[in-house]
Every structure is written in structure tokens, then in C-alpha cells.
Amino acid sequence: MGNSALKAHLETAQKTGVFQLTGKGLTEFPEDLQKLTNNLRTIDLSNNKIELLPPLIGKFSFLKSLALNNNKLTALPEELCKLKKLETLHLNGNHLRQLPAAFGQLSALKTLSLSGNQLRTVPTQLSGLRHLDVVDLSKNQIQNVPDTVGELQAIELNLNQNQISQISVQISHCPRLKVLRLEENCLELSMLPQSILSDSQISLLAVEGNLFEIKKLRELEGYDKYMERFTATKKKFA
């Protein structure tokens, strides 16, 4: 893409606070964006070939939304964690194996999408984020859900299409978790904590495509309690 085209995009972004440049085969984060560190609220560079997110990303202190879906990122810089106003972060379809240690400092984060990466566990850093609503970790290589998940503040957690065979019973202590998606994993029925049914806030549990028949779930103790929550929620949204 020519410089004049980039310049036009930058001029528009200066006025709108939105910089969107998707599907242009970019191999790196446009350095010229640093001129707009105080203007930009939204950056969308999805569907490119970006391999590295430079440390300068930390300078966009007013950024609310960052999308880098379908790029070639293998890691994220610690500087990303300086974005105190960031509410939405979309990183689907990259090659990420872990999150920066300081990720819990993204205190405004509400929506986090990491579908289609190479994560092997639910990142412990997520437990510190107080405003998280939706976390999408589907299509990764997660095998177990650790005890730290009990501190997760999210309302919806999507773990579809992983390799999960073990889930900490702590998941039923999540204070706000209403929707838990575990479709197409490697769960035996005995490995599903019954407290999710009997003693949690969860009102939608999606477990199709695991190593047990759904009708067996209905025989578990606590299933009637779960159905009460499920029905009450359905009525609310009907």
C-alpha cells in the first residue's frame, strides 16, 4: 500500500479517532500511527500479516478498542498492558501461547477474544480483571482449567473446541459467571464438577460434543437447580 493511501487513512483517523486498515497484507504495525497517540480510540488491523506488535503500542493511552484478528502474532509486548482505557481486545486467529505477565493491569478490559491461538491453559492474569464481561478462549489447546479460574469476574467464558479433560471445582465460585461454553472438549462426565449445577451462578452450560451423552447430565444431582436458573434466565430474555 502506497504512502499516499496511508496518509489519507491517517488524516481520517485524526478526525474520527478510528484507524482501520484490514486485509492489506501489512507485515508490520504502521509506525506513522505514533503521530496519533492522543487521537486514537480504535485501531483495527485485522486480516494482515503482522508478526510483531511494537512497544510503542503502550503510548496509545486513550485507546478503547484494539483488533488484530488473523495476523501472525506469536507474543504480545508488556507495553500493551499500559493501556488503562482499553475495553475491547480482539486477537483471534494468531499464534499466541501466553499473555504478558502484567496483563492484569488492563483494568478497563470488558471483552477479550483469543479464539484460535495456541494457549495451553486459562491465563491466570485474567483473574485480576474486575470488569471482564466476555472471554473467548475457544479453539486453543487448553487441557485443564486451573483453580485460579474461581476468581474470574467474567459473565461469559467460552472454552469450546479445546482439549479440556479437567476443570477445577473452583469454577463454580466465579461470582458473575452466567454462561459457560465447553462444547467439543475431552470431558468425561465424572470430570465435570457437580457444583456447577448445584452451587453456581451459571444459567447456561453448553457441553455438547464431549465424552458423555447429554441425557446423562440430567441424572446428576443438582441438575434441577441448574434448570431453575436456566428457565429463570430464559424468561428474563424472552
Side-chain angles (χ1 to χ4, degrees):
M1 192 187 62
N3 271 350
S4 54
L6 183 60
K7 203 173 166 199
H9 274 282
L10 287 168
E11 281 169 13
T12 309
Q14 191 163 4
K15 293 176 192 139
T16 60
V18 177
F19 185 84
Q20 185 175 28
L21 202 56
T22 58
K24 297 288 184 208
L26 291 183
T27 52
E28 48 190 52
F29 188 89
E31 293 272 315
D32 285 347
L33 281 185
Q34 349 188 25
K35 298 170 188 164
L36 301 178
T37 47
N38 294 333
N39 302 63
L40 290 182
R41 304 293 185 267
T42 299
I43 296 176
D44 186 354
L45 294 165
S46 296
N47 304 312
N48 282 296
K49 295 173 180 170
I50 298 168
E51 293 181 20
L52 276 178
L53 194 53
L56 69 90
I57 191 67
K59 295 181 181 167
F60 293 87
S61 39
F62 298 98
L63 201 62
K64 286 193 160 181
S65 174
L66 176 61
L68 287 155
N69 295 326
N70 304 316
N71 275 283
K72 299 190 169 192
L73 298 171
T74 53
L76 299 170
E78 288 288 340
E79 286 79 2
L80 176 71
C81 308
K82 292 179 181 168
L83 302 179
K84 298 290 186 229
K85 290 190 160 53
L86 194 68
E87 295 178 5
T88 309
L89 180 57
H90 291 292
L91 295 163
N92 301 327
N94 280 283
H95 308 295
L96 299 169
R97 295 203 160 128
Q98 58 196 45
L99 298 180
F103 198 82
Q105 291 173 11
L106 290 172
S107 49
L109 203 60
K110 292 180 180 171
T111 304
L112 174 63
S113 300
L114 286 160
S115 180
N117 278 282
Q118 295 170 18
L119 299 173
R120 290 178 177 270
T121 184
V122 176
T124 53
Q125 297 94 315
L126 302 188
S127 300
L129 298 169
R130 295 276 160 248
H131 299 288
L132 264 190
D133 290 334
V134 179
V135 180
D136 185 353
L137 301 174
S138 61
K139 299 181 185 172
N140 276 280
Q141 297 162 16
I142 298 170
Q143 295 175 5
N144 65 352
V145 180
D147 288 349
T148 47
V149 76
E151 294 161 40
L152 190 69
Q153 300 287 326
I155 296 168
E156 176 169 343
L157 176 59
N158 186 343
L159 291 165
N160 289 346
Q161 293 178 303
N162 276 284
Q163 300 154 20
I164 297 168
S165 59
Q166 283 186 308
I167 300 180
S168 167
V169 68
Q170 296 295 330
I171 199 162
S172 50
H173 296 165
C174 290
R176 298 167 68 216
L177 192 61
K178 298 270 194 287
V179 178
L180 177 58
R181 301 186 187 279
L182 287 163
E183 294 180 13
E184 295 180 48
N185 276 285
C186 310
L187 281 167
E188 304 269 0
L189 191 57
S190 59
M191 285 298 172
L192 192 71
Q194 292 201 11
S195 54
I196 289 178
L197 299 172
S198 60
D199 191 27
S200 79
Q201 303 289 321
I202 295 166
S203 55
L204 177 63
L205 176 65
V207 287
E208 286 77 8
N210 279 281
L211 307 178
F212 58 87
E213 293 176 53
I214 290 297
K215 61 174 192 248
K216 295 276 186 212
L217 186 67
R218 298 176 196 140
E219 295 163 16
L220 289 185
E221 199 177 328
Y223 188 78
D224 47 344
K225 274 191 173 173
Y226 161 69
M227 280 315 288
E228 278 170 26
R229 297 193 302 273
F230 176 80
T231 311
T233 307
K234 269 205 133 157
K235 279 189 188 136
K236 208 156 62 176
F237 292 118

